[in-house]
Amino acid sequence: MSAINRDRLATLLRGELDRFAGAHPRSRELYERAGESLIGGVPMPWMMRWAGGHPVFAAHGQGARIVDVDGHEYVDFALGDTGAMAGHSPASTANATAHQAGHGITMMLPTEEAIWVGEELTRRFGVPRWLFTLSATDANRTALRIARQLTGRPKVLVYSYCYHGSVDESFAVEQAGVTVAREGNVGAPVDVGETTIAIDFNDIDALERALATGQVAVVLAEPAMTNMGIILPDDGYMTALRDLTRKHDTLLIIDETHTFSAGPGGCTQAWDLDPDILVIGKAIAGGVPAGAMGLTEELVDRLFADEDADYEDTGGVGGTLAGNALSSAAMRATLEHTLHADAFSQMIPLATRFAEGVQSVIDTYDIGWNVTQLGCRAEYQFLPEPARNGTVAAASHDEDLEHYLHLHALNRGVMLTPFHNMALMCPQSTAADVDRHTQVFDEAVRDLVA
Ligand SMILES: Cc1ncc(COP(=O)(O)O)c(C=O)c1O
């Protein structure tokens, strides 16, 4: 297996940084100006993570393409870290949104579109009752509150190195049998050990031990982890998760925000899962802010029978703009016209083509990495075998290597998500786009091992 020569990597990275600086004077100018009014020179801190030292500023995006303010066009495999999985500005979403924008954006009144979306989400995910939020984070926070209220139990179980949005309880990892805050956790309201039990994904014994404490209100789970590379469940793990949560009267939240890539009904439909609570956000409204949380009928009955909980006002659930007319119209248009079953049939083979292209490069240069696919999402990891949990995946993180590969691609018109070595397909992605990535990835790895 070829080893990475760190000196060579540092030299190549310097070369890519110079090339980026030379090609992006206008983005640089805007970034410097932004530093005077925006924290870190960006409107949202994650944007500081783009390769190159600063992000390119977008001029416009359409389908699978973004053009920046210096006039460079990119094949976009980042797709707004899944927010734009429907492609940039899909026509039906843009039209429905423009129409609704002229007819009442937010009125604190329901619109018929919201019913259509509830019915469609039920058809896809099998969960019968829905409420809407403005983000997946909000939907997860709501779900955790409801779960604690309904069970009367204090704790949430998560997987080490999961990500479910800026949800306090989820920034936890297991270290030597103890749940501790994940490195870098900002201003935690209380010690995460008080709110959370973290265990490794795919560890059934640890799951059983944690649930046997009787303290766990709910498991907050992605059916496949997607924020530390793609980590698929072992055969039988999802069945064990459902059986054990039922055995211990613990609720199960399936967060499909990223795993929606598996198909029109996410992993829940594809793998016949049976969650108590389902959360989804990001792509469902084509990039317009929206999230959704679904509950079983039994939980809804329990929720309304509970006279101690205020769901209608200041009980901690809901938001002024949530379920607004604009996001409802955008969700309907996106689900009805863009992210339907036919689109997935087109997107998923492209992710297979991407994974095969990456694998061929891994094999050619014998670099001992692996690539994993979940529907229309594929991702490579710097490990010989796919990780089975977040702890192993996190330990394989290689900042410089990732920076080099991302910047090398960006400098050649291919955009990858900053936090992942991930590529996502949208309905407008093409085989030629995928092959372009394979070619660029081949060049990057060839130069690295030369
Ligand atoms: C699985 C999962 N759930 C929830 C979220 C939160 O989404 P948002 O930041 O749009 O609220 C994310 C964000 O990356 C996610 O990956």
Side-chain angles (χ1 to χ4, degrees):
M1 193 165 89
S2 315
I4 304 295
N5 177 328
R6 305 315 288 194
D7 292 338
R8 182 158 187 79
L9 173 59
T11 308
L12 289 170
L13 183 52
R14 270 196 306 277
E16 294 301 327
L17 285 164
D18 289 348
R19 179 171 171 159
F20 179 82
H24 296 91
R26 179 72 182 131
S27 276
R28 177 83 205 168
E29 198 179 300
L30 289 177
Y31 175 66
E32 280 166 5
R33 185 175 136 212
E36 303 296 315
S37 62
L38 304 179
I39 296 167
V42 288
M44 193 275 286
W46 295 1
M47 294 182 195
M48 291 192 278
R49 273 289 291 274
W50 280 99
H54 62 83
V56 299
F57 277 67
H60 51 90
Q62 184 63 58
R65 296 278 185 287
I66 285 181
V67 175
D68 75 12
V69 291
D70 287 291
H72 305 292
E73 184 177 286
Y74 302 91
V75 173
D76 185 11
F77 290 115
L79 294 171
D81 194 16
T82 310
M85 194 172 87
H88 295 290
S89 294
S92 51
T93 309
N95 292 339
T97 309
H99 174 81
Q100 190 61 50
H103 293 82
I105 294 171
T106 194
M107 297 171 277
M108 262 284 278
L109 288 171
T111 55
E112 197 173 335
E113 312 293 30
I115 309 174
W116 188 95
V117 176
E119 290 166 352
E120 177 66 7
L121 292 176
T122 297
R123 197 180 65 75
R124 292 184 184 215
F125 296 100
V127 180
R129 297 281 184 274
W130 296 86
L131 67 72
F132 300 114
T133 61
L134 289 182
S135 67
T137 300
D138 278 348
N140 276 324
R141 285 193 187 129
T142 302
L144 295 190
R145 275 182 174 263
I146 290 175
R148 280 196 302 261
Q149 179 68 24
L150 290 179
T151 59
R153 295 179 180 177
K155 292 207 173 174
V156 174
L157 186 141
V158 298
Y159 298 116
S160 289
Y161 299 98
C162 65
Y163 188 78
H164 295 280
S166 47
V167 174
D168 294 324
E169 294 89 336
S170 66
F171 293 105
V173 291
E174 183 264 327
Q175 270 174 16
V178 180
T179 296
V180 298
R182 191 164 162 177
E183 198 183 338
N185 194 20
V186 176
V190 291
D191 177 357
V192 83
E194 284 180 33
T195 60
T196 305
I197 300 180
I199 61 167
D200 272 330
F201 193 57
N202 278 324
D203 184 341
I204 295 178
D205 292 342
L207 177 66
E208 170 97 73
R209 275 196 306 277
L211 297 182
T213 62
Q215 295 287 298
V216 182
V218 63
V219 175
L220 173 56
E222 282 193 286
M225 294 182 75
T226 63
N227 284 290
M228 249 324 144
I230 296 170
I231 306 175
L232 299 171
D234 290 347
D235 282 348
Y237 184 76
M238 293 312 290
T239 308
L241 173 61
R242 186 61 283 196
D243 290 349
L244 288 172
T245 44
R246 287 229 166 89
K247 176 175 160 196
H248 293 282
D249 293 324
T250 295
L251 297 175
L252 175 61
I253 303 171
I254 293 292
D255 180 350
E256 289 273 17
T257 302
H258 278 182
T259 50
F260 188 20
S261 64
C267 291
T268 299
Q269 187 187 84
W271 300 345
D272 201 17
L273 306 180
D274 186 17
D276 301 298
I277 307 179
L278 193 134
V279 162
I280 187 161
K282 295 204 184 187
I284 51 166
V288 173
M293 187 208 65
L295 290 184
T296 61
E297 197 148 353
E298 188 237 324
L299 289 187
V300 175
D301 290 345
R302 278 166 63 188
L303 176 153
F304 285 125
D306 176 0
E307 290 178 1
D308 292 340
D310 175 4
Y311 288 101
E312 292 169 31
D313 195 0
T314 50
V317 167
T320 313
L321 303 184
N324 68 72
L326 190 77
S327 42
S328 299
M331 280 189 281
R332 175 176 181 161
T334 306
L335 294 173
E336 187 171 10
H337 300 296
T338 308
L339 288 179
H340 42 56
D342 289 351
F344 282 92
S345 320
Q346 196 184 309
M347 289 144 69
I348 292 172
L350 288 175
T352 306
R353 189 181 182 102
F354 181 96
E356 286 169 355
V358 167
Q359 188 64 53
S360 71
V361 174
I362 293 171
D363 293 343
T364 303
Y365 300 102
D366 192 23
I367 41 174
W369 301 343
N370 77 84
V371 58
T372 315
Q373 182 184 354
L374 182 71
C376 64
R377 166 191 303 273
E379 179 153 359
Y380 55 90
Q381 278 176 342
F382 307 129
L383 283 171
E385 296 295 329
R388 287 183 54 241
N389 61 54
T391 306
V392 170
S396 73
H397 181 69
D398 188 325
E399 185 108 16
D400 288 346
L401 188 53
E402 189 171 301
H403 193 180
Y404 163 65
L405 291 167
H406 285 219
L407 189 55
H408 180 281
L410 192 72
N411 280 336
R412 289 153 188 81
V414 175
M415 234 177 219
L416 299 164
T417 311
F419 328 95
H420 309 267
N421 301 316
M422 184 271 284
L424 189 66
M425 306 298 146
C426 70
Q428 298 86 354
S429 303
T430 65
D433 294 344
V434 170
D435 295 347
R436 171 82 188 131
H437 173 269
T438 305
Q439 185 198 343
V440 163
F441 184 63
D442 186 298
E443 287 166 17
V445 175
R446 183 201 60 205
D447 290 353
L448 195 58
V449 300

